[in-house]
């Protein structure tokens, strides 16, 4: 079907006669620019005067113009060398905000019996705090290496692999569904960048939030104006 503007800024690319939250068991969220208002890596880079350089790589990666997300992330993290943990704390305190409707949507999902998963190509330094703030059930993100209170410009390998890229997001979604004993079609996946497309493709309902053009086109639902809780306008 052709995309239908359900109401201003809410585009539906599929026939959704009777979508109900209770038909789903899991909702998976990207973090940067989806649950929260910033790209953390860009804001950390500001502390060493490299925001423009890092943000240009982030934008190209999110638009899908850089296909190797792992390489693009390593390049950006290398530019963060020398940033202090104190500077990162400042980014969290002064710049990081939940996007409009985030808390409302997460609460509505939990009330409907869904588990919540945060999967981020960003960093546990922020994702751990967002997880706690929103009482999120599962999380996967990247670990920045810190020595003597400073970033080394490297990431720490984890038991599941080195970097949470698009393929890892998809794997984590499927693995979490397996843990819950559900079909991935009982999952909702929400994101804004090209690295969210693999998990969005595996889920039963994919939602683009203020997303890059490529992601808006491929998602079943696109929220182009307003908060995350606009998804609830479609769900009984």
């Amino acid at each position: 079907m052709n995309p239908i503007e359900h109401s201003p800024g809410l585009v539906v690319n599929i026939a959704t006669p009777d979508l109900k939250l209770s038909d789903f068991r899991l909702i998976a969220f990207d973090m940067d620019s989806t649950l929260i208002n910033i790209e953390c890596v860009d804001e950390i880079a500001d502390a060493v005067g490299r925001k423009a350089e890092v943000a240009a790589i982030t934008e190209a990666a999110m638009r899908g113009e850089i296909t190797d997300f792992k390489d693009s992330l390593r390049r950006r993290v290398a530019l963060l060398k020398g940033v202090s943990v104190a500077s990162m704390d400042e980014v969290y305190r002064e710049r990081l905000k939940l996007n409009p409707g985030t808390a409302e949507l997460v609460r509505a999902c939990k009330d409907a019996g869904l588990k919540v998963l945060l999967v981020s190509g960003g960093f546990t330094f922020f994702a751990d705090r967002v997880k706690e703030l929103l009482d999120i059930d599962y999380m996967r993100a990247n670990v920045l290496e810190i020595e003597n209170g400073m970033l080394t410009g490297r990431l720490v390998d984890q038991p599941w692999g080195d970097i949470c890229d698009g393929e890892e997001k998809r794997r984590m979604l499927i693995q979490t569904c397996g843990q819950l004993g559900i079909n991935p079609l009982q999952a909702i996946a929400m994101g804004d960048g090209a690295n969210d497309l693999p998990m969005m493709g595996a889920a039963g309902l994919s939602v683009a939030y203020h997303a890059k053009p490529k992601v808006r086109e491929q998602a079943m639902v696109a929220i182009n104006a307003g908060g995350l809780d606009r998804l609830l306008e479609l769900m009984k």
Side-chain angles (χ1 to χ4, degrees), residues 56-131:
I57 303 172
T58 300
E59 176 68 12
M62 292 304 104
R63 292 177 74 89
E65 291 156 10
I66 294 176
T67 50
D68 188 339
F69 178 84
K70 288 189 178 188
D71 177 61
S72 85
L73 187 64
R74 283 193 192 98
R75 280 164 52 201
R76 285 175 284 164
V77 169
L79 293 167
L80 305 180
K81 185 177 180 180
V83 174
S84 68
V85 169
S87 293
M88 293 205 297
D89 273 326
E90 201 173 304
V91 168
Y92 178 76
R93 283 197 320 273
E94 297 181 8
R95 303 189 186 191
L96 187 153
K97 303 276 183 289
L98 294 178
N99 269 329
T102 293
E104 290 80 357
L105 178 57
V106 170
R107 192 177 312 115
C109 288
K110 284 185 155 285
D111 287 348
L114 283 75
K115 294 291 188 187
V116 183
L117 165 66
L118 187 166
V119 265
S120 177
F123 311 118
T124 54
F125 185 89
F126 302 100
D128 283 337
R129 299 172 190 209
V130 171
K131 176 179 186 280

Side-chain angles (χ1 to χ4, degrees), residues 225-236:
L228 274 87
D229 57 342
R230 293 206 64 190
L231 179 60
L232 300 174
E233 292 174 30
L234 299 177
M235 312 293 258
K236 305 270 189 306

